[in-house]
């Protein structure tokens, strides 16, 4: 009997009428009534697929034989740089929406929830609320956030450790995902460079610090997945190791980068876009640490309306190139996602 497919990286938008008026009034986030654009203050993005919304998402999942999807938070609602009041309003809306989706469709969706590390006391309260009240078990964090001094800071920073301590207590799964690269890097916003290049660098940067500081072993009950395969993090391992070996004086009280390779609590999704990068991911961290992730329904996800793309394409090509077996493909689609989520396969 074949195993069902679980998509470990998906996204969902609320219907326009589900977004409270204050979200638009404060320019935090809203969706046009005709559902053509999502908006936030001076930012907008076209809604490129019907499956951004619940009814069409369920139809899309059935069409592609995906039994269950992990819904991550919207990156636009990481709330980097927002006041405590606006952060509280936006994050509670996001988390309550995701919780409702999971509550109403427990077989089809596992929902994540998000907190903002800048506002630490509220973040800890929100973790408790989402776990105790909503029965959510997947915490989503940005790779970087704006600290109280206005500096961009990795979520591997020691100031975030109280969040990890509480997540460790609740034995949560974590998702670390990049965003806001154009605010961090002083370059012209051109040719989608912040999504195509700098988001990958953001994720690699946090993996670098996350492993140097031995966070997977400091907090052993947390299972952390890095988005988009952390593809630059995979390619950059040799340089990180060379730097550690060549200048040990720059790395006091840290662990060698190679010590975390293949760690059972570090996972990476399959959204790496080509089979050669997938082969590096497989060779680097092992099949057991890879989870299926489509990043639907964004055009940078494996979507069938993008030329030469469809859900699961990289995994199919990995089988065709004898990089993984059909049995390993099934593990990535099912068992490994459950292992990351803390459920039995």
């Amino acid at each position: 009997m074949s195993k069902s497919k679980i998509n470990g990286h998906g996204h969902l938008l609320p219907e326009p009428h589900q977004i409270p008026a204050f979200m638009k009034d404060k320019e935090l986030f809203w969706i046009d009534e005709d559902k053509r654009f999502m908006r936030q203050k001076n930012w907008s993005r076209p809604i490129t697929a019907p499956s951004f919304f619940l009814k069409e998402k369920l139809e899309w999942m059935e069409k592609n034989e995906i039994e269950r999807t992990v819904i991550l938070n919207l990156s636009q609602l990481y709330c980097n740089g927002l006041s405590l009041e606006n952060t509280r309003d936006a994050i509670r809306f996001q988390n309550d929406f995701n919780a409702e989706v999971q509550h109403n469709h427990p077989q089809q969706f596992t929902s994540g929830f998000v907190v903002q590390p800048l506002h630490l006391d509220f973040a800890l309260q929100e973790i408790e609320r989402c776990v105790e009240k909503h029965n959510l078990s997947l915490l989503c964090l940005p790779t970087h956030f704006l600290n109280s001094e206005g500096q961009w800071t990795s979520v591997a920073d020691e100031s975030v450790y109280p969040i990890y301590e509480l997540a460790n207590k609740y034995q949560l799964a974590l998702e670390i995902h990049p965003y806001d690269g154009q605010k961090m890097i002083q370059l012209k916003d051109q040719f989608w460079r912040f999504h195509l290049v700098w988001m990958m660098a953001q994720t690699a940067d946090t993996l670098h610090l996350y492993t140097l500081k031995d966070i997977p072993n400091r907090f052993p009950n947390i299972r952390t997945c890095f988005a988009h395969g952390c593809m630059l993090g995979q390619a950059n391992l040799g340089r990180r190791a060379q730097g550690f070996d060549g200048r040990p004086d720059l790395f006091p009280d840290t662990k060698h980068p190679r010590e975390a390779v293949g760690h059972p609590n570090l996972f990476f999704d399959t959204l790496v876009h080509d089979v050669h990068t997938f082969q590096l991911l497989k060779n680097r961290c092992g099949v057991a640490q890879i989870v299926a992730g489509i990043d639907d329904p964004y055009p940078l996800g494996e979507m069938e309306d993008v030329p030469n793309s469809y859900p699961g394409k990289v995994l199919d090509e990995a089988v065709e190139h004898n990089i993984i077996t059909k049995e390993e493909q099934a593990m990535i689609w099912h068992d490994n996602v459950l292992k990351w989520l803390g459920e039995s396969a």
Side-chain angles (χ1 to χ4, degrees), residues 5-267:
K5 293 180 180 179
I6 306 173
N7 168 25
H9 185 156
H11 297 275
L12 191 68
L13 289 175
E15 295 285 340
H17 71 270
Q18 292 179 295
I19 303 175
F22 75 79
M23 293 287 287
K24 184 174 182 179
D25 293 342
K26 293 185 174 185
E27 299 183 311
L28 299 176
F29 186 80
W30 72 97
I31 294 170
D32 291 348
E33 289 299 321
D34 59 10
K35 299 199 288 191
R36 294 181 62 188
F37 283 87
M38 60 183 94
R39 300 185 185 274
Q40 182 181 49
K41 202 169 184 177
N42 299 321
W43 171 92
S44 66
R45 183 170 188 165
I47 296 173
T48 51
S51 56
F52 267 108
F53 300 97
L54 179 60
K55 177 179 178 292
E56 292 82 359
K57 173 77 74 182
L58 289 167
E59 294 170 351
W60 178 85
M61 289 167 59
E62 183 175 4
K63 173 186 173 183
N64 289 284
E65 300 180 332
I66 296 170
E67 181 176 310
R68 184 173 163 194
T69 291
V70 177
I71 298 296
L72 307 181
N73 69 287
L74 297 173
S75 300
Q76 293 78 20
L77 294 181
Y78 285 141
C79 299
N80 287 324
L82 294 188
S83 68
L84 173 58
E85 177 185 357
N86 286 345
T87 296
R88 182 187 295 115
D89 289 346
I91 277 182
R92 283 184 173 169
F93 159 71
Q94 166 76 113
N95 293 343
D96 288 347
F97 169 75
N98 277 7
E100 182 180 6
V101 170
Q102 177 176 295
H103 176 77
N104 292 340
H105 303 275
Q107 303 303 314
Q108 288 83 19
F109 297 109
T110 294
S111 291
F113 66 97
V114 65
V115 299
Q116 167 52 241
L118 169 63
H119 304 298
L120 185 60
D121 289 343
F122 170 63
L124 297 176
Q125 294 168 9
E126 186 66 2
I127 291 172
E128 291 181 351
R129 188 182 78 93
C130 287
V131 174
E132 301 287 352
K133 178 181 178 180
H134 288 318
N135 197 33
L136 301 179
S137 58
L138 169 60
L139 172 60
C140 300
L141 293 173
T143 57
H144 298 80
F145 67 99
L146 273 173
N147 68 14
S148 59
E149 298 177 355
Q151 298 173 328
W152 284 102
T153 306
S154 169
V155 290
D157 189 73
E158 288 85 348
S159 65
V160 185
Y161 281 10
I163 290 175
Y164 295 132
E165 289 170 359
L166 190 54
N168 193 68
K169 171 189 171 183
Y170 284 125
Q171 302 184 43
L172 300 181
L174 262 66
E175 172 77 16
I176 294 182
H177 192 291
Y179 196 64
D180 282 334
Q182 70 273 25
K183 298 176 183 178
M184 297 173 59
I185 311 298
Q186 296 302 305
L187 290 171
K188 183 179 179 180
D189 192 354
Q190 184 181 34
F191 301 129
W192 223 6
R193 70 200 305 175
F194 294 107
H195 277 72
L196 302 185
V197 178
W198 289 105
M199 286 179 77
M200 305 300 99
Q202 288 173 266
T203 314
D205 177 73
T206 287
L207 177 69
H208 180 53
L209 300 180
Y210 205 82
T211 55
L212 285 172
K213 296 182 179 183
D214 202 29
I215 290 176
N217 290 318
R218 284 178 183 265
F219 307 102
N221 296 326
I222 295 173
R223 301 160 310 282
T224 303
C225 182
F226 284 81
H228 316 131
C230 195
M231 58 180 75
L232 292 189
Q234 310 299 339
N236 198 37
L237 176 62
R239 185 170 179 84
R240 292 166 53 215
Q242 180 84 8
F244 189 97
D245 293 337
R247 285 293 305 274
D249 57 302
L250 298 179
F251 299 88
D253 303 318
T254 58
K255 295 291 184 178
H256 196 285
R258 293 194 184 278
E259 289 189 28
V261 175
H263 194 289
N265 284 345
L266 285 180
F267 294 85

